[in-house]
C-alpha cells in the first residue's frame, strides 16, 4: 500500500472518529405527551416504542447533570413556571411475558437471561435504530432491581462483558452487581442506590430491536441518543482520535496511525 493511501486511510479514520463524537441525534419523550400502549416516538435514524403497560403515568421530571444535559427540554410546571429538565415516563406494571388481564395488570413470567422470555405487558421500551451505531438511553432505575438490555430474540447484552455500560447523570461509572432487596433476596444486574438520569450505552445493529426494562419494578425512560457508525474509542486524553494524548487531533495522530498500519504490514 502506498504512503499516500495510508495517509488517506488514517485521515478518514480520524474524521470518522470526530464525526462519531459529534453527530448525535437525540429523541425525547415529549414533556407534554400522553403515554399510551404501543406509542412510537420516531426520529430520523432511531425510534422507541412504549410497551403494553395499560396504566402509563404522565411524564415526570428530574434535573439533568453534565452527562445527560442534551436530554433536557422545556416544560411548564403545575404552577405555570417555565422550566428545563429531563422528562421521563414509566408505567404501573412490572414487565412480564403474558398479556394484560381484565384489570390491566401484567401477567406471566419475568425475564431471565436463561428463559429469554421478553415482556409482552408491563413497563418496557423497544429501541430500533435504522442504522448501525451507538445508543445512549436515559433511565431512572430503582435500587435492587435487575436491569436488562436485550435483542429481539431475548439474548441479553452482557454488562459483565462490556456489552453495555452505565454512568450516572454526571458521567460517573455505575456498576451492576448483586444487591439485596427489602426481602433480603439477592438481585443480579442491579444497582445499590436509585439511579436518576443514568445513561445506558450500547452498540446497535441496523434494523435490530432492543428491549430495555427492569424486572420486579418499572423502569423510567427519558429517550435515546443515537450516533451512527463504528466507535474507534478515545485516545489517552479521552478525546476521540487523540492518540498522543495532547488533547487535540493533529497530523501527529495521523502519523501514529500510519506507523500502526506499517507495523501490521511487516
Amino acid at each position: 500500500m502506498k504512503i499516500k493511501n495510508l495517509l488517506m486511510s488514517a485521515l478518514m479514520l480520524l474524521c470518522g472518529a470526530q464525526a462519531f463524537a459529534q453527530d448525535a441525534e437525540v429523541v425525547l419523550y415529549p414533556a407534554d405527551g400522553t403515554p399510551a400502549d404501543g406509542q412510537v416516538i420516531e426520529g430520523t435514524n432511531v425510534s422507541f416504542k412504549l410497551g403494553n403497560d395499560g396504566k402509563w403515568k404522565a411524564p415526570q421530571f428530574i434535573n439533568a447533570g453534565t452527562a445527560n444535559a442534551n436530554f433536557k427540554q422545556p416544560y411548564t410546571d403545575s404552577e405555570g413556571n417555565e422550566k428545563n429538565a429531563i422528562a421521563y415516563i414509566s408505567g404501573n406494571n412490572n414487565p412480564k411475558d403474558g398479556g394484560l388481564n381484565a384489570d390491566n395488570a401484567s401477567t406471566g413470567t419475568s425475564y431471565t437471561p436463561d428463559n429469554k422470555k421478553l415482556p409482552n405487558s408491563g413497563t418496557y421500551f423497544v429501541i430500533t435504530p435504522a442504522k448501525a451505531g451507538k445508543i445512549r438511553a436515559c433511565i431512572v432505575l430503582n435500587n435492587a432491581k435487575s436491569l436488562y438490555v436485550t435483542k429481539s430474540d431475548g439474548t441479553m447484552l452482557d454488562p459483565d462483558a462490556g456489552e453495555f455500560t452505565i454512568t450516572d447523570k454526571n458521567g460517573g461509572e455505575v456498576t451492576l452487581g448483586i444487591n439485596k432487596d427489602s426481602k433480603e433476596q439477592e438481585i443480579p444486574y442491579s444497582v445499590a442506590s436509585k439511579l436518576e438520569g443514568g445513561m445506558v450505552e450500547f452498540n446497535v445493529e441496523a434494523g435490530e430491536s432492543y428491549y430495555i426494562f427492569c424486572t420486579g419494578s418499572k423502569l423510567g425512560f427519558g429517550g435515546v441518543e443515537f450516533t451512527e457508525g463504528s466507535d474507534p474509542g478515545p485516545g489517552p486524553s479521552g478525546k476521540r482520535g487523540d492518540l498522543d494524548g495532547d488533547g487535540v487531533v493533529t497530523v501527529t495522530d495521523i502519523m501514529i496511525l500510519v506507523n500502526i498500519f506499517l507495523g501490521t504490514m511487516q
Side-chain angles (χ1 to χ4, degrees), residues 41-112:
I41 307 299
E42 293 194 24
T44 302
N45 294 309
V46 67
S47 66
F48 63 86
K49 182 174 72 172
L50 281 60
N52 300 312
D53 185 87
K55 299 177 181 178
W56 288 102
K57 301 175 184 177
Q60 302 174 68
F61 300 91
I62 54 174
N63 293 327
T66 57
N68 59 13
N70 57 342
F71 281 72
K72 289 192 300 185
Q73 57 180 307
Y75 75 100
T76 304
D77 69 12
S78 58
E79 298 179 352
N81 300 310
E82 298 295 325
K83 295 185 176 181
N84 279 277
I86 294 174
Y88 75 92
I89 53 172
S90 64
N92 278 285
N93 281 305
N94 296 342
K96 297 181 180 180
D97 72 331
L100 295 170
N101 64 19
D103 296 321
N104 262 355
S106 58
T107 65
T109 301
S110 296
Y111 174 90
T112 69

Side-chain angles (χ1 to χ4, degrees), residues 169-180:
K169 66 179 183 179
N170 292 315
E173 182 180 357
V174 175
T175 302
L176 292 180
I178 298 176
N179 295 280
K180 291 185 178 180

Side-chain angles (χ1 to χ4, degrees), residues 18-185:
Q18 295 306 301
F20 191 98
Q22 296 172 4
D23 298 335
E25 176 186 6
V26 178
V27 181
L28 306 176
Y29 191 84
D32 59 353
T34 302
D37 290 350
Q39 185 177 22
V40 178
I41 307 299
E42 293 194 24
T44 302
N45 294 309
V46 67
S47 66
F48 63 86
K49 182 174 72 172
L50 281 60
N52 300 312
D53 185 87
K55 299 177 181 178
W56 288 102
K57 301 175 184 177
Q60 302 174 68
F61 300 91
I62 54 174
N63 293 327
T66 57
N68 59 13
N70 57 342
F71 281 72
K72 289 192 300 185
Q73 57 180 307
Y75 75 100
T76 304
D77 69 12
S78 58
E79 298 179 352
N81 300 310
E82 298 295 325
K83 295 185 176 181
N84 279 277
I86 294 174
Y88 75 92
I89 53 172
S90 64
N92 278 285
N93 281 305
N94 296 342
K96 297 181 180 180
D97 72 331
L100 295 170
N101 64 19
D103 296 321
N104 262 355
S106 58
T107 65
T109 301
S110 296
Y111 174 90
T112 69
D114 292 330
N115 69 29
K116 296 186 178 181
K117 293 184 176 181
L118 290 174
N120 190 47
S121 60
T123 299
Y124 63 96
F125 306 88
V126 184
I127 302 166
T128 305
K131 301 177 180 180
K134 179 168 287 186
I135 287 291
R136 290 202 314 148
C138 186
I139 66 166
V140 176
L141 174 65
N142 288 326
N143 65 299
K145 303 297 178 182
S146 297
L147 174 69
Y148 294 109
V149 181
T150 79
K151 291 187 174 183
S152 58
D153 63 358
T155 300
M156 177 188 76
L157 301 190
D158 188 355
D160 294 332
E163 293 179 344
F164 76 84
T165 59
I166 307 176
T167 57
D168 63 25
K169 66 179 183 179
N170 292 315
E173 182 180 357
V174 175
T175 302
L176 292 180
I178 298 176
N179 295 280
K180 291 185 178 180
D181 63 11
S182 59
K183 298 179 181 179
E184 292 298 305
Q185 294 180 316

Side-chain angles (χ1 to χ4, degrees), residues 163-249:
E163 293 179 344
F164 76 84
T165 59
I166 307 176
T167 57
D168 63 25
K169 66 179 183 179
N170 292 315
E173 182 180 357
V174 175
T175 302
L176 292 180
I178 298 176
N179 295 280
K180 291 185 178 180
D181 63 11
S182 59
K183 298 179 181 179
E184 292 298 305
Q185 294 180 316
E186 293 187 340
I187 308 298
Y189 305 111
S190 66
V191 292
S193 301
K194 184 176 181 178
L195 183 63
E196 291 194 343
M199 302 302 298
V200 180
E201 184 172 321
F202 53 97
N203 292 326
V204 292
E205 304 168 16
E208 176 63 277
S209 291
Y210 297 83
Y211 285 63
I212 183 168
F213 55 93
C214 64
T215 53
S217 188
K218 301 86 181 170
L219 186 71
F221 187 84
V224 296
E225 175 193 275
F226 171 78
T227 311
E228 182 183 355
S230 299
D231 183 6
S237 71
K239 183 179 180 65
R240 298 189 185 280
D242 175 25
L243 301 182
D244 63 356
D246 64 356
V248 292
V249 178

